[in-house]
Amino acid sequence: MGQNCTVAVDAMGGDFGPSVTVPAVLELLKEMKTLHIQLVGDQVVLARVLEQHGGSPSERLKVVHASQQVEMTDLPSHALRNKKDSSMRVAINLVKEGVAQACVSAGNTGALMATARFVLKTLPGVDRPAICTALPTMKGHVHVLDLGANVDLSPEHLFQFAVMGSELTSAVDGTPAPRVGLLNIGEEEIKGNEAVKEAGRLLANSGLNYIGFVEGDDIFKGTADVVVCDGFVGNVMLKSTEGVVKLITHFMRQEFQRNILTRLAALAAMPVIRRLRARLDHRAYNGASLLGLRHIVIKSHGSADCFSFTNAIREAVLEVEKGVPGKIAARLEALLVEPAADRQGQMR
């Protein structure tokens, strides 16, 4: 890190709240000397947890009181209307006020998206924000969006997501022209629903490095640097992937524990198993971007542990350093200067 970066952390969000967020923040403050944290939540609770972990407020760590907390079961509309002093809302407000440059929360995804969109607004040219995260591939990693924020999308929405994902990947990975693929049930142009086919035609004339339709297995082959889909498909894909990893781990454990010989084989294979576990560890990829907002908001997994949550904060810092929202806004402005009527003509 070069310049100072201030991140507002919703300390009460997620399944474990301050027991995870506070030690994660203290660990990163030791590592990142230019990082500043606005720790938002119940002041009494945070003071107690900070003391338990040998920390205290300082020049780089400010505690901001919030009297409410968004529960994981709260409806987004309820959180938006009735919890205006929640740790989530106050953290987002700090970004709007310019006190912080990014917000990180492990709280209720729907409430976070609704609140962030209401408070921070979307960039010009963006109709809906999208949830984007990196996933491991055979060649490195791929950014996939949307992962659950939007179910019913138009071709224009998918087009906007492709632009946002391309600019994010270009900025954080240093890839000049990221390969963009549109997730479909086949690579042929006749495959897929009308929205996907029309989005493909828009992207083919966009100036992005669009490589066409990609299938589910292409995500993990590393065929593309960015994969675009609607939130229903993306969320099912993500949860299915997590389930398959757990299934493989379960089967491996069963086979290695079958008898004395397999247990000995497990001991011999332990270095390989550890490396494999590290490469497949979803915690290393924790921190999904809410792309399309005027400011940076990062969603951590609700069940994140300390290691996971530090990675979500790292993602926020990286996006601040790279100026991701500004780059998305500039690219959208450049691509959307043509009249809407011309784009409709391409779609037909």
Side-chain angles (χ1 to χ4, degrees):
M1 290 175 60
Q3 298 180 340
N4 289 345
C5 174
T6 301
V7 177
V9 173
D10 170 13
M12 311 304 289
D15 297 341
F16 307 112
S19 65
V20 162
T21 57
V22 169
V25 161
L26 292 175
E27 180 180 325
L28 274 184
L29 284 171
K30 292 178 183 177
E31 178 187 329
M32 299 175 144
K33 300 305 181 184
T34 54
L35 174 64
H36 292 66
I37 295 290
Q38 297 278 325
L39 195 63
V40 185
D42 186 304
Q43 201 164 23
V44 174
V45 173
L46 293 182
R48 183 177 67 248
V49 179
L50 278 169
E51 185 178 3
Q52 290 171 353
H53 290 276
S56 62
S58 65
E59 183 183 349
R60 294 172 53 214
L61 176 60
K62 306 295 184 184
V63 174
V64 181
H65 181 65
S67 63
Q68 295 175 302
Q69 178 180 341
V70 174
E71 304 296 336
M72 300 302 273
T73 54
D74 282 344
L75 290 173
S77 56
H78 175 78
L80 196 58
R81 287 196 304 266
N82 301 314
K83 294 195 173 181
K84 297 180 181 179
D85 196 44
S86 68
S87 54
M88 180 185 292
R89 179 70 170 264
V90 172
I92 292 172
N93 284 342
L94 289 172
V95 177
K96 180 184 179 182
E97 294 160 5
V99 176
Q101 295 154 286
C103 168
V104 177
S105 174
N108 182 316
T109 303
L112 182 65
M113 178 63 85
T115 304
R117 184 176 181 180
F118 176 78
V119 174
L120 302 178
K121 311 304 180 187
T122 56
L123 291 166
V126 174
D127 296 321
R128 301 183 185 182
I131 300 175
C132 179
T133 195
L135 296 175
T137 72
M138 296 178 186
K139 299 177 181 178
H141 61 259
V142 58
H143 282 95
V144 184
L145 70 164
D146 178 30
L147 294 176
N150 307 277
V151 176
D152 298 315
L153 294 176
S154 70
E156 288 280 355
H157 294 141
L158 291 170
F159 173 83
Q160 291 166 16
F161 291 178
V163 175
M164 295 192 295
S166 178
E167 284 304 305
L168 173 70
T169 302
S170 178
V172 301
D173 292 342
T175 307
R179 297 163 298 163
V180 178
L182 193 57
L183 191 61
N184 201 355
I185 58 173
E187 297 180 1
E188 300 84 357
E189 291 186 6
I190 60 170
K191 294 286 185 69
N193 58 39
E194 288 306 311
V196 170
K197 287 190 283 189
E198 290 177 0
R201 288 191 282 271
L202 280 176
L203 289 169
N205 294 282
S206 67
L208 296 177
N209 186 10
Y210 176 60
I211 63 172
F213 295 145
V214 295
E215 299 183 68
D217 59 339
D218 287 310
I219 296 173
F220 302 101
K221 288 179 183 177
T223 303
D225 301 305
V226 180
V227 172
V228 179
C229 58
D230 67 54
F232 183 90
V233 171
N235 192 265
V236 170
M237 178 277 299
L238 181 65
K239 299 295 174 57
S240 298
T241 301
E242 292 174 353
V244 169
V245 171
K246 291 177 182 177
L247 179 69
I248 293 172
T249 303
H250 175 73
F251 282 169
M252 287 179 64
R253 187 178 296 113
Q254 280 188 329
E255 293 304 319
F256 278 130
Q257 293 176 350
R258 191 169 293 279
N259 55 52
I260 186 63
L261 290 177
T262 57
R263 289 191 180 96
L264 290 172
L267 287 174
M270 194 55 66
V272 175
I273 294 171
R274 288 199 185 101
R275 288 195 295 270
L276 176 63
R277 185 182 299 150
R279 294 182 72 177
L280 294 176
D281 190 353
H282 68 276
R283 300 179 307 156
Y285 295 90
N286 186 46
S289 308
L290 272 57
L291 290 184
L293 298 170
R294 293 176 183 265
H295 300 278
I296 295 165
V297 177
I298 302 297
K299 171 66 174 75
S300 166
H301 202 292
S303 62
D305 58 11
C306 183
F307 173 72
S308 297
F309 200 78
T310 59
N311 286 326
I313 299 175
R314 291 179 204 277
E315 178 65 26
V317 172
L318 180 60
E319 292 191 21
V320 169
E321 289 180 340
K322 301 298 183 179
V324 170
K327 290 181 178 178
I328 290 174
R331 189 62 182 270
L332 279 168
E333 183 180 7
L335 289 173
L336 298 178
V337 289
E338 60 182 278
D342 289 350
R343 295 201 303 276
Q344 291 297 325
Q346 292 175 13
M347 289 167 58
R348 290 192 292 270

